[in-house]
Amino acid sequence: MTCWTWTPLLLLGCVAFSAERPAHKNGIVGEDVLLPCACTKEQNVTWQNKAENVVYDSRSNEEGRGYVNRTRLLLNNEGGRCSLLLRRVSVADEGTYVCYVLSTGERIVKKQETVLRVSAKYTVTVECRHGNSCTCNASGGYPEANVSWWQDGRRLENQSLMTSQRHEDSKLIDLFSTLTVHSNSKCVRCVVEAPFYSADGTYCDPVAPGSFNQESTVPTSVTAVILVLVLVVLLVLIYRWYRGRKIKMCPTRRPSDII
């Protein structure tokens, strides 16, 4: 049993009630999440966040600021009618929520805490330019994640530079990591690791089948071969033209022309 001094929302005083072990829920940005709490059909319930702001109050059917048109108290026949469905989760929703179950006399008979952790998956793209410089852009994710580079199945240690940027409105994060590729390789891979998931992006050199360093030499060698072929054809044509002209200038003599 716990002794608790209630806020002005309910009756003041020291009341005794049962406190459940905190539950843990993972929510994804843009999706719905269910915060659990159980009560009987006759009992009322008030949901608050850790700052003691009202999220939902079943007595007045009131939704708190920031939660309007985003909450719904679930009704079923299994004692779970106090569970709260929170719609369109955002990063700002992360935190602890408290369900207070009230008796008909407006006294707290049960307290259930739920810790909500929010995540958003990063979108990862990798680009490489001349000079073997590669950039990994991981956008629109949460929470902040670790970025690692892989080459030929081997993790590259301490060879990248990472910066981050947080959007003020959505609180989502963009990560930027740069890498200079020193060894020959066809592909590089950027892996973004967050607490609940991982995402990755890969760049493969479309020109050089075996090395980033061959990117400029392959077109040069092809051009050289074409130039040699063109030169050979021109020489053959010139030779044929010159031989044909020489035959016309020096006709074959007939036997009757010999004295």
Side-chain angles (χ1 to χ4, degrees), residues 3-153:
C3 191
W4 175 263
T5 302
W6 188 232
T7 66
L9 183 64
L10 299 174
L11 297 177
L12 295 175
C14 188
V15 295
F17 58 87
S18 62
E20 302 287 338
R21 181 174 298 179
H24 295 268
K25 297 289 289 188
N26 297 327
I28 300 176
V29 170
E31 298 185 8
D32 301 344
V33 64
L34 183 64
L35 308 180
C37 188
C39 66
T40 64
K41 187 175 181 180
E42 294 77 18
Q43 293 172 321
N44 287 313
V45 62
T46 295
W47 276 92
Q48 292 185 335
N49 57 23
K50 197 64 174 179
E52 297 185 349
N53 296 322
V54 174
V55 178
Y56 181 84
D57 190 341
S58 66
R59 297 169 300 173
S60 60
N61 199 28
E62 173 191 0
E63 292 180 305
R65 180 179 299 179
Y67 300 97
V68 176
N69 297 324
R70 294 181 54 221
T71 64
R72 175 169 166 255
L73 206 61
L74 294 190
L75 303 175
N76 57 51
N77 298 322
E78 299 177 358
R81 65 178 294 269
C82 296
S83 296
L84 186 71
L85 182 66
L86 183 60
R87 298 188 178 99
R88 301 182 300 279
V89 170
S90 68
V91 174
D93 293 326
E94 189 171 62
T96 301
Y97 292 81
V98 185
C99 169
Y100 292 103
V101 180
L102 312 176
S103 67
T104 53
E106 295 294 300
R107 298 183 69 85
I108 307 171
V109 295
K110 182 179 179 180
K111 173 187 175 184
Q112 171 70 63
E113 289 190 358
T114 300
V115 180
L116 176 62
R117 303 178 70 179
V118 176
S119 64
K121 193 169 185 177
Y122 287 90
T123 299
V124 182
T125 58
V126 180
E127 296 179 352
C128 293
R129 298 181 297 273
H130 293 287
N132 297 345
S133 176
C134 296
T135 303
C136 177
N137 297 323
S139 59
Y142 185 85
E144 191 145 351
N146 295 321
V147 177
S148 60
W149 287 90
W150 295 72
Q151 191 174 18
D152 299 329

